Amino acid sequence: MGCSPCASANAPGTSLRGQHQPNSKMEASKEKIVLNVGGRRYETYSSTLKTFPGTKLCQLTEPQAQAVSDYDPNANEFFFDRSAKLFGDVLNYYRTRHLHCPAGVCRALWEEELAFWGIPEAQLAPCCWVKLSHTEGLQEDLDLRGNKDDTNEDSLTLLGQGERRDYHWWARWQPKMWALFEKPYSSAGAMCLMVVSLLFNLGILILFFMEPTTYIEFDHYNTTRDYNIFHVALKPSLQKAISLLYVELFCILWFTFEFFMRLTFCPDKKKFLTNLLNVTDFLSLFPVYTELFLATHINEMLDILSWLGFFRVLYIVKLLKIFKLLETPLMLRVLPFTFRSILKEVFILMMIFTFEILFFGALCYHAELHRPETFFDGMISSFYWAAITLTTVGYGDTYAISPFGRVIACCAAICGILTIIFPLPIFLIKFQGYYATAVMKEKMKSNKRNH
């Protein structure tokens, strides 16, 4: 009997402790934590900071946080010397689980801020991804010639400082000879060599336009059933042909000397041999040497002479070296990077054009098949017609005659116009992004020079 009051008294107490446990959890989740970031105070629940375990903000909810962090017991707040503007979006990420980026913040700075708070793998919201990614990769891909020159100048300076310690002749002469033949503004001698090279280019172009065919003719005569006899004959104007050949040979000898000097002293052979202008220089050496070889070795290589004119066209491409003497406009320097960034889109466009050529060409060919006055004498001619119609060139030498064929021609022309128009905005957007980045880099370089 005496124990019953105690039991009855303890029973309510036990039930009260059971009721206090969920209340304590609710109070712990509603516990507020004050953060002072860059002088601005932020107040949030501890449960909010526990959204992403293992991060720096989540560690503030642990019991030992006040000892290991910069905690002010008087103000009851944690202090962080970070950007208050960026921290607002970091804290909002804990609240909404959606990461947004402030306006006017570069990607590198934002990633550095996320790394400080221990959020390296956070994913941007789709609305902010476009805002950051439209310039992503531009700084890495856009390597303008001005920056290359600055890097080369710095490397030359370092090499010049190291000359006193390295007495090997190659280390002393390699950068000097490379600059002499490749960088016209590096010295007066380099400028003179560039001017001489341009004069040789102009001279060989004049020869090319004066005598566009080969200097050596192969006349086929006295053909019998058993044998063919060939003989070599110079052009009717013998003296003129010999003089022009010797002048062209003299120019080619200079280009050969220049090419092999640049190849010998270039710092990167692989990059040199894959450069388009250097490949052009190498191929342009073949015509004269080939003619001189064939003049004494007559065999089945008669067809090779017909290709020498195509190699001589490369003389015109060599004139692009004049850009080394000029400051290339910024817009022209941006164009190659823009084209390289849309290679995938260009490839898809060419595939669409190929499909349209095959489709409309075959369709119009069968529509005009039974017309006696048709211009389509085969599938190849119909594909040629489809190509010039889709590109809206329309030479007029081949066209459809039947009403159904003309309807097909109208559809082909409209599809061609739409196929060309749709990719243009992609190119313009890419070009605008590259150009804006290039202008910014030029301004930064100008400010660095002024300072």
Side-chain angles (χ1 to χ4, degrees):
M1 295 294 293
C3 293
S4 59
C6 295
S8 63
N10 291 335
T14 303
S15 62
L16 286 174
R17 284 195 299 270
Q19 293 176 359
H20 280 307
Q21 288 178 358
N23 292 335
S24 61
K25 291 181 180 180
M26 293 178 61
E27 290 176 359
S29 63
K30 291 185 178 181
E31 180 186 356
K32 294 182 180 180
I33 295 180
V34 180
L35 305 172
N36 187 339
V37 181
R40 184 180 298 178
R41 301 177 78 252
Y42 293 89
E43 189 173 355
T44 185
Y45 292 108
S46 61
S47 59
T48 302
L49 301 183
K50 294 179 181 179
T51 304
F52 300 103
T55 58
K56 186 180 288 291
L57 291 179
C58 182
Q59 295 172 359
L60 300 180
T61 61
E62 299 175 356
Q64 68 276 15
Q66 297 179 1
V68 298
S69 302
D70 189 359
Y71 178 73
D72 186 0
N74 298 326
N76 191 25
E77 63 183 18
F78 293 93
F79 177 77
F80 293 94
D81 189 14
R82 304 296 296 182
S83 172
K85 178 182 176 181
L86 299 179
F87 180 75
D89 291 272
V90 172
L91 185 58
N92 190 57
Y93 177 51
Y94 282 79
R95 294 167 177 165
T96 64
R97 295 177 180 268
H98 296 287
L99 182 61
H100 296 272
C101 177
V105 177
C106 70
R107 189 180 186 88
L109 180 61
W110 183 234
E111 290 179 349
E112 180 184 353
E113 189 69 18
L114 293 179
F116 174 80
W117 297 108
I119 320 173
E121 298 180 357
Q123 299 294 327
L124 281 175
C127 58
C128 294
W129 178 256
V130 177
K131 181 171 61 178
L132 279 183
S133 62
H134 79 282
T135 56
E136 182 183 3
L138 297 184
Q139 292 282 4
E140 299 176 358
D141 295 336
L142 191 59
D143 191 8
L144 299 180
R145 192 183 70 175
N147 294 335
K148 290 182 179 179
D149 293 341
D150 294 341
T151 305
N152 292 331
E153 290 176 2
D154 295 339
S155 62
L156 285 177
T157 303
L158 293 175
L159 288 173
Q161 294 175 355
E163 283 181 3
R164 299 177 182 178
R165 295 186 299 270
D166 193 349
Y167 294 96
H168 194 267
W169 69 270
W170 179 261
R172 294 195 304 270
W173 287 101
Q174 187 272 332
K176 295 180 180 179
M177 297 300 295
W178 172 248
L180 183 65
F181 283 90
E182 188 66 20
K183 300 173 183 178
Y185 288 101
S186 61
S187 63
M191 178 61 70
C192 292
L193 279 177
M194 177 58 67
V195 172
V196 170
S197 181
L198 287 177
L199 291 177
F200 275 108
N201 278 331
L202 294 176
I204 204 168
L205 276 178
I206 294 173
L207 295 177
F208 173 69
F209 293 133
M210 287 177 57
E211 193 70 21
T213 57
T214 57
Y215 297 115
I216 300 176
E217 283 183 342
F218 285 83
D219 292 337
H220 177 237
Y221 76 102
N222 196 13
T223 304
T224 65
R225 183 177 58 183
D226 299 328
Y227 59 91
N228 298 330
I229 299 178
F230 296 88
H231 80 281
V232 179
L234 293 176
K235 295 292 184 181
S237 181
L238 182 61
Q239 188 63 35
K240 177 183 176 182
I242 294 176
S243 301
L244 293 178
L245 182 60
Y246 284 156
V247 173
E248 185 178 8
L249 177 61
F250 180 71
C251 296
I252 291 298
L253 289 175
W254 166 260
F255 292 140
T256 305
F257 166 75
E258 182 187 27
F259 177 82
F260 282 102
M261 288 294 290
R262 291 167 57 232
L263 176 62
T264 303
F265 292 100
C266 72
D268 190 349
K269 300 289 191 299
K270 181 179 179 181
K271 186 176 180 181
F272 179 86
L273 294 175
T274 54
N275 184 274
L276 184 59
L277 285 179
N278 296 331
V279 174
T280 301
D281 290 342
F282 180 71
L283 294 178
S284 64
L285 304 177
F286 281 98
V288 175
Y289 293 141
T290 304
E291 287 190 358
L292 292 175
F293 176 79
L294 292 179
T296 55
H297 298 79
I298 306 169
N299 47 31
E300 294 88 1
M301 292 193 296
L302 177 63
D303 295 333
I304 297 180
L305 290 179
S306 61
W307 293 95
L308 296 181
F310 291 99
F311 283 103
R312 281 189 166 92
V313 175
L314 298 178
Y315 295 159
I316 303 176
V317 183
K318 292 170 68 68
L319 276 179
L320 293 177
K321 288 185 176 181
I322 198 173
F323 285 109
K324 291 183 179 180
L325 297 176
L326 304 175
E327 182 65 27
T328 308
L330 184 61
M331 186 176 298
L332 294 181
R333 283 184 275 163
V334 171
L335 279 177
F337 301 98
T338 307
F339 182 76
R340 188 174 62 183
S341 66
I342 61 170
L343 281 179
K344 182 179 179 180
E345 289 81 0
V346 171
F347 178 73
I348 295 174
L349 176 65
M350 297 305 297
M351 291 185 61
I352 294 175
F353 258 116
T354 303
F355 169 77
E356 291 177 343
I357 290 172
L358 296 176
F359 177 75
F360 287 108
L363 200 62
C364 195
Y365 172 75
H366 289 288
E368 301 284 319
L369 185 60
H370 301 291
R371 289 276 180 170
E373 66 277 12
T374 181
F375 290 95
F376 302 100
D377 54 357
M379 275 290 188
I380 301 300
S381 61
S382 65
F383 293 153
Y384 162 76
W385 165 86
I388 63 175
T389 303
L390 286 168
T391 54
T392 68
V393 177
Y395 290 118
D397 54 346
T398 305
Y399 54 88
I401 297 176
S402 65
F404 184 56
R406 292 179 178 179
V407 172
I408 296 174
C410 292
C411 295
I414 294 173
C415 289
I417 293 174
L418 295 178
T419 306
I420 295 174
I421 288 177
F422 283 142
L424 287 180
I426 300 176
F427 178 81
L428 293 177
I429 292 173
K430 291 277 188 178
F431 178 79
Q432 184 181 8
Y434 275 97
Y435 187 75
T437 306
V439 170
M440 179 188 64
K441 294 182 71 175
E442 288 294 317
K443 289 182 178 179
M444 293 174 60
K445 187 167 61 174
S446 178
N447 292 336
K448 184 185 296 184
R449 290 174 179 174
N450 293 336
H451 291 303

